[in-house]
Amino acid sequence: MVTNEDVMQITEHVLGTMLELGSYADSADNLLTDRLEAFTGCVHISGEWQGAVVVQGTPELGRLIAQRFLQLAPGEVSEVDVMDSAAELTNMIGGNIKGLVPGPSSLSIPSVTIGSDFNFRLPGTRESAHVVANCEGQPLRITLCESTK
Amino acid sequence: MKVLVVDDSGVMRKIIIRSLNAVGVSDIVEAGDGQEGFVQFQAHQFDLVLTDWNMPVRNGLEFVTDIRKTGSKVPIMMITTEGQRSQVILAIQAGVTDYLVKPFEKESLRAKLDKYVPV
């Protein structure tokens, strides 16, 4: 079973190692859902264990992640840069979580949405872990959804 | 020295190419999946191949198998989130010569590349 602590440890490791960004578990889930440019990344795990990992962050954090991944100046970051970087972040967090669930299993290609005017639902799953990391003052929400079938 | 970089993530390709440039490699060909990578592999003579595992169309493991079927002994480094022992063994059995698990520190990638880049 993957715990919130496992998910937080993986998130800290990915942010710290690849992006040199510090983070810590935040008790407040203050990711505003009406943020127009918030990103939502999702990657599916299929096989012996079935489910998905959802990674959501603020526009500010999306731009910061893109800056660090691509070594860009703040003004150089495009929406595509944010989406590609959020996809890679989701892939890394999801891939490392996959290593903790019963295998064999495979990881899907990540998908990313930017915006807030949508409803997001993974039918047939239940939330099995949920953490909010505070990264440079910005919330990053990671949710592990496990298939109920 | 000519290097083939195969990854469906443009972000990862940029990170890898930055590290290659830092160790003095500029002759680089990119591909976005294993099928495109194999087309490039057959069209050029490479000294090193760097590939992801999880990719659309044809994954990294299939790509490595395709390369080894040609009889090529080119060094192949897999850079992937697949860090479980069983997966590493699968990759080695397919013909991977080096392995780096994501996330990694840039120094780790450069240290790996140093082994293959002539001084």
Side-chain angles (χ1 to χ4, degrees):
Chain A
M1 181 187 164
V2 180
T3 65
N4 286 349
E5 289 71 27
D6 293 329
V7 175
M8 190 61 218
Q9 197 171 27
I10 285 169
T11 303
E12 284 177 337
H13 182 51
V14 170
L15 290 171
T17 306
M18 289 301 298
L19 302 167
E20 296 177 350
L21 290 172
S23 58
Y24 59 88
D26 201 337
S27 55
D29 188 351
N30 57 347
L31 180 72
L32 301 176
T33 52
D34 61 351
R35 302 291 288 271
L36 290 178
E37 296 171 26
F39 67 84
T40 298
C42 181
V43 69
H44 293 260
I45 299 170
S46 56
E48 186 65 26
W49 190 94
Q50 308 244 17
V53 178
V54 181
V55 178
Q56 297 170 291
T58 59
E60 292 84 354
L61 188 57
R63 284 194 289 275
L64 180 60
I65 288 166
Q67 274 177 52
R68 292 293 177 99
F69 261 138
L70 300 168
Q71 292 196 347
L72 298 171
E76 295 174 335
V77 176
S78 68
E79 186 175 273
V80 170
D81 293 332
V82 173
M83 292 183 90
D84 287 351
S85 299
E88 189 52 42
L89 181 71
T90 305
N91 179 58
M92 282 188 198
I93 293 173
N96 280 268
I97 288 174
K98 182 178 95 69
L100 299 180
V101 301
S105 60
S106 60
L107 195 69
S108 75
I109 304 302
S111 57
V112 175
T113 300
I114 285 188
S116 61
D117 189 17
F118 62 88
N119 291 318
F120 185 81
R121 180 169 159 73
L122 292 165
T125 66
R126 67 172 182 87
E127 193 177 293
S128 59
H130 176 107
V131 299
V132 177
N134 185 311
C135 178
E136 306 284 316
Q138 296 293 323
L140 181 70
R141 182 194 290 157
I142 302 97
T143 309
L144 180 62
C145 300
E146 181 176 3
S147 171
T148 53
K149 291 175 186 168
Chain B
M1 180 177 192
K2 197 177 191 76
V3 178
L4 175 59
V5 177
V6 186
D7 199 310
D8 58 315
S9 163
V11 171
M12 273 313 299
R13 290 203 303 273
K14 282 178 186 166
I15 290 170
I16 292 167
I17 288 168
R18 209 160 52 218
S19 289
L20 282 165
N21 292 159
V23 296
V25 177
S26 57
D27 192 358
I28 300 161
V29 176
E30 297 178 55
D33 60 62
Q35 188 175 80
E36 188 188 337
F38 192 61
V39 169
Q40 293 295 345
F41 178 80
Q42 290 181 305
H44 303 272
Q45 192 72 38
F46 291 102
D47 303 295
L48 176 64
V49 175
L50 305 176
T51 183
D52 185 20
W53 184 317
N54 292 308
M55 295 183 288
V57 187
R58 197 147 179 82
N59 69 36
L61 206 61
E62 294 167 326
F63 170 54
V64 172
T65 304
D66 289 343
I67 290 177
R68 292 307 182 214
K69 275 184 186 165
T70 68
S72 170
K73 291 184 168 47
V74 66
I76 304 174
M77 188 192 304
M78 189 163 264
I79 303 173
T80 174
T81 57
E82 300 283 353
Q84 299 132 286
R85 184 181 158 81
S86 59
Q87 301 296 79
V88 178
I89 290 170
L90 266 181
I92 291 169
Q93 285 172 340
V96 165
T97 38
D98 216 331
Y99 204 91
L100 185 61
V101 177
K102 294 191 283 189
F104 55 80
E105 289 170 350
K106 59 186 172 199
E107 291 78 14
S108 303
L109 175 56
R110 287 187 193 171
K112 293 260 185 197
L113 293 174
D114 277 339
K115 292 198 288 184
Y116 302 100
V117 177
V119 179

